[in-house]
Amino acid sequence: MKMIRHQTLTIASAIGLLLFAATAQAAVDAHSRNLAASCAACHGTNGHSVGAMPVLAGMDKTLFVNQMKDFKSGARTGTVMHHHAKGYSDEEFEKLADFFAAQKQ
């Protein structure tokens, strides 16, 4: 009886940890998706541009972050990107980079 109770508690704990981890991951993904939503007007849904704008889906994280920092500092020029980039923190650049890198091209 004690062995069954111990196994049940172990399984219940493992399920609880998995649910907690899944909930935490979903919150991070939702925040990243929300940040990326403003990019969709020009760069397409989830970074899949079909026009003249660069495709962000599948972009290397380091390249994305460096380009965004360059837009923010003025080192890289663009029509509106310098305005957009100034609205994001370095942490948000990282979240966006993770989000777009995870999208399939």
Side-chain angles (χ1 to χ4, degrees), residues 5-24:
R5 187 180 310 159
H6 177 70
Q7 288 174 339
T8 302
L9 286 174
T10 301
I11 291 170
S13 297
I15 290 171
L17 287 173
L18 288 172
L19 290 174
F20 175 77
T23 303

Side-chain angles (χ1 to χ4, degrees), residues 42-43 53-54 67-68 70-86:
C42 298
H43 295 279
M53 295 299 157
Q67 287 183 354
M68 292 301 289
D70 286 347
F71 280 126
K72 188 173 185 175
S73 73
R76 183 178 175 140
T77 59
T79 56
V80 295
M81 280 306 302
H82 61 288
H83 293 297
H84 291 294
K86 288 179 182 176

Side-chain angles (χ1 to χ4, degrees), residues 13-81:
S13 297
I15 290 171
L17 287 173
L18 288 172
L19 290 174
F20 175 77
T23 303
Q25 183 64 38
V28 170
D29 290 343
H31 181 63
S32 297
R33 262 194 321 274
N34 290 340
L35 289 172
S38 65
C39 306
C42 298
H43 295 279
T45 303
N46 297 330
H48 294 282
S49 176
V50 293
M53 295 299 157
V55 172
L56 302 179
M59 183 179 272
D60 176 75
K61 294 177 193 180
T62 303
L63 176 63
F64 180 90
V65 170
N66 288 340
Q67 287 183 354
M68 292 301 289
K69 286 181 178 181
D70 286 347
F71 280 126
K72 188 173 185 175
S73 73
R76 183 178 175 140
T77 59
T79 56
V80 295
M81 280 306 302

